[in-house]
Amino acid sequence: MYFYYHLSINQFFNPAFIILLLGMFILGCLVLFVKNKKINANDLSKINLDYKKCLPVIILIIFIFLGIFEVINLWIPFAITLIYGTYINRSTITDVDYSLLLSFVGFFLIVGILSRNQLVIGSLNHLLNTSHQVFFSGALISQIISNVPGAVLIAKFTNDFYPLYLGVNIGGLGSLVASLANLLAFKQVQAYANKSSWQFLKIFTLNNIMLLILSIILISFII
């Protein structure tokens, strides 16, 4: 969206403050319903953080963001990351969850197919006439094809960046596939949680859908 709409850094991040304030408000309310529980420190495994390995990753992330926001050429962080992963720390390449990565690529392939379908083109042209329609479409389409591919699909049919930005960000709530972050979190639960991951999925989905509906209602008043 940053590249597609030719935005400045301020234009891109200004709507994020609304998401930030909404998130803080909702989290503050949810904390009131959480019971205090004493954590048994004996049940926690000790984590040894290797700061020497963290530093190069932090530097890489900084370079990547500089490339994304066109401070430097995007090929520079790409080349540095490739060299680091290939010759210095091969685990950054070998330990990647390629099944999850391919799933995400699949969503973009679906977007490419849908954006060429005449029925989809006609429907989106009809549905994306107002700011509220763009917002609702962004939030709902994200539930099916994830919010980043959803943003790519809808952006081709509207110049209304602001409601689209809010819609796909809010759309990260809801279903498991609504955001790549949801899938990553679920993978971690499957790998490390002692309890059933499917029980987590039920609670996660129910809470996320409730938060999605609440967020849509609140945001719709300010668009």
Side-chain angles (χ1 to χ4, degrees):
M1 291 174 71
Y2 176 79
F3 289 110
Y4 187 82
Y5 288 110
H6 305 290
L7 303 171
S8 67
I9 294 177
N10 286 336
Q11 287 174 319
F12 183 76
F13 279 111
N14 280 340
F17 286 106
I18 296 174
I19 305 294
L20 175 63
L21 293 174
L22 177 63
M24 291 175 65
F25 170 74
I26 292 175
L27 284 174
C29 293
L30 289 175
V31 167
L32 299 176
F33 296 96
V34 177
K35 295 181 180 179
N36 290 328
K37 282 187 178 181
K38 187 177 180 180
I39 297 176
N40 188 352
N42 295 327
D43 295 336
L44 301 176
S45 58
K46 187 177 180 181
I47 299 175
N48 296 315
L49 194 61
D50 191 337
Y51 292 98
K52 291 182 180 180
K53 290 184 178 180
C54 289
L55 183 60
V57 175
I58 293 171
I59 294 173
L60 282 175
I61 291 172
I62 293 172
F63 270 101
I64 289 169
F65 274 105
L66 290 174
I68 291 172
F69 293 111
E70 299 180 311
V71 177
I72 61 175
N73 191 295
L74 191 58
W75 286 104
I76 295 175
F78 175 78
I80 294 174
T81 304
L82 192 63
I83 292 169
Y84 177 79
T86 305
Y87 298 104
I88 301 174
N89 189 355
R90 292 190 177 182
S91 64
T92 57
I93 301 296
T94 58
D95 293 346
V96 172
D97 188 343
Y98 286 101
S99 62
L100 184 61
L101 186 61
L102 288 173
S103 299
F104 201 59
V105 171
F107 285 129
F108 282 101
L109 293 176
I110 292 171
V111 167
I113 294 170
L114 291 176
S115 62
R116 292 174 177 82
N117 185 284
Q118 292 303 315
L119 179 61
V120 174
I121 292 171
S123 299
L124 289 176
N125 280 326
H126 179 70
L127 289 172
L128 303 174
N129 293 322
T130 68
S131 295
H132 279 88
Q133 287 177 328
V134 173
F135 171 69
F136 290 129
S137 296
L140 295 177
I141 289 176
S142 297
Q143 304 309 305
I144 304 170
I145 61 172
S146 195
N147 57 353
V148 177
V152 173
L153 176 63
I154 297 175
K156 298 178 181 180
F157 300 93
T158 180
N159 292 321
D160 216 344
F161 159 76
Y162 182 69
L164 175 57
Y165 183 96
L166 295 176
V168 295
N169 272 278
I170 293 300
L173 296 167
S175 69
L176 183 64
V177 300
S179 171
L180 178 62
N182 296 345
L183 291 170
L184 289 171
F186 186 62
K187 282 281 188 176
Q188 293 301 303
V189 170
Q190 286 183 312
Y192 300 108
N194 295 324
K195 296 182 179 180
S196 169
S197 58
W198 297 109
Q199 182 65 25
F200 165 83
L201 182 58
K202 291 177 184 178
I203 299 171
F204 170 88
T205 304
L206 177 61
N207 289 331
N208 252 19
I209 290 174
M210 291 171 59
L211 292 175
L212 173 66
I213 294 171
L214 176 62
S215 300
I216 287 176
I217 293 171
L218 293 175
I219 293 291
S220 64
F221 285 109
I222 62 174
I223 295 178

